[in-house]
Amino acid sequence: MGIDEFKTISNIGEGTYSEKRSKFLAFAHHVETENDVKDLLNLYHKKYYDARHICYAYVLGSDYLTYRANDDGEPSSTAGKPILGQINSNNLTDILVVVVRYYGGVNLGTSGLIVAYRTVAATAIANSAIEIKQVEEVVTYNFSYVMMNEVMKIIKSIKPRIVKQQFDNTCEIQLSIRKSKAQELRDRLQKLSFE
């Protein structure tokens, strides 16, 4: 995988696990913001209002720096951490894994809980479609209308995605491109300005 790529999931992966009458349901979702996470957690709290615990972990961003693990009342580090561990061992980001636990009346102990949460999170991730995405950067370029053909030639050769364009006497174009190619695009557009 390149320096400007990251792995995420594109569908909802599910997993189930049972141990001593406790039932664990896991759901892996693609998310891009903390608001996405909050919205999904609210849905799970409404849908599984009768569950004893709704634990989760998430990782956001191509730099993998935004993350959180939550035990929701389980003994410290027995739920959120094992879920987060599965996300990290698969090198995934922009992902939320939620595990709903229905208590079966028998305590599993800390090691039993860790195994249960780790196993069910791994199953949900294994049942997800994993895809590699590129880290993109947006390049904005202002130019006069007479330069249009030259700008379009560069776009045709480097193939950035056009995010926004406005053509008038002065034109502005916003291009999204793979991070490793952003500087090349900037340089070639800048060179036009001095020709």
Side-chain angles (χ1 to χ4, degrees):
M1 216 165 56
I3 53 159
D4 58 355
E5 294 177 323
F6 62 94
K7 278 179 12 179
T8 188
I9 62 169
S10 58
N11 67 334
I12 299 172
E14 296 184 11
T16 57
Y17 181 82
S18 295
E19 181 68 37
K20 296 180 180 163
R21 296 198 309 265
S22 274
K23 205 167 173 199
F24 298 83
L25 312 171
F27 306 91
H29 289 269
H30 175 79
V31 289
E32 292 180 4
T33 66
E34 288 182 339
N35 279 338
D36 293 348
V37 171
K38 278 184 197 137
D39 293 345
L40 283 165
L41 289 173
N42 286 337
L43 285 173
Y44 280 103
H45 281 285
K46 279 185 189 132
K47 186 173 180 181
Y48 296 101
Y49 64 90
D50 55 343
R52 175 71 68 92
H53 304 282
I54 298 180
C55 306
Y56 64 89
Y58 65 82
V59 177
L60 297 174
S62 58
D63 53 10
Y64 299 78
L65 292 178
T66 304
Y67 60 90
R68 180 148 186 236
N70 185 299
D71 295 317
D72 191 36
E74 290 282 30
S76 181
S77 301
T78 59
K81 233 180 172 172
I83 298 168
L84 184 61
Q86 289 306 306
I87 293 171
N88 290 337
S89 67
N90 284 282
N91 295 317
L92 294 168
T93 189
D94 289 350
I95 182 173
L96 164 69
V97 178
V98 179
V99 179
V100 176
R101 179 187 182 194
Y102 285 97
Y103 183 62
V106 180
N107 287 340
L108 303 181
T110 54
S111 60
L113 286 171
I114 290 168
V115 167
Y117 281 103
R118 183 191 313 134
T119 304
V120 76
T123 305
I125 290 169
N127 290 330
S128 301
I130 293 175
E131 65 179 6
I132 294 174
K133 288 193 165 183
Q134 289 159 359
V135 179
E136 292 190 339
E137 209 171 290
V138 175
V139 174
T140 303
Y141 184 63
N142 294 297
F143 58 97
S144 60
Y145 193 80
V146 293
M147 295 167 67
M148 179 71 74
N149 282 344
E150 297 308 308
V151 171
M152 288 305 164
K153 277 183 197 163
I154 291 172
I155 289 171
K156 209 172 200 153
S157 88
I158 303 182
K159 295 183 176 59
R161 193 166 40 84
I162 297 172
V163 179
K164 200 170 144 192
Q165 54 191 8
Q166 182 218 321
F167 302 128
D168 215 355
N169 293 342
T170 307
C171 305
E172 182 178 279
I173 194 161
Q174 282 186 355
L175 306 165
S176 187
I177 189 160
R178 189 175 179 150
K179 195 173 186 164
S180 59
K181 289 187 153 209
Q183 196 53 52
E184 178 191 350
L185 177 61
R186 265 192 214 92
D187 292 347
R188 287 185 61 186
L189 290 169
Q190 276 315 114
K191 214 171 137 193
L192 285 181
S193 304
F194 301 110
E195 283 180 355

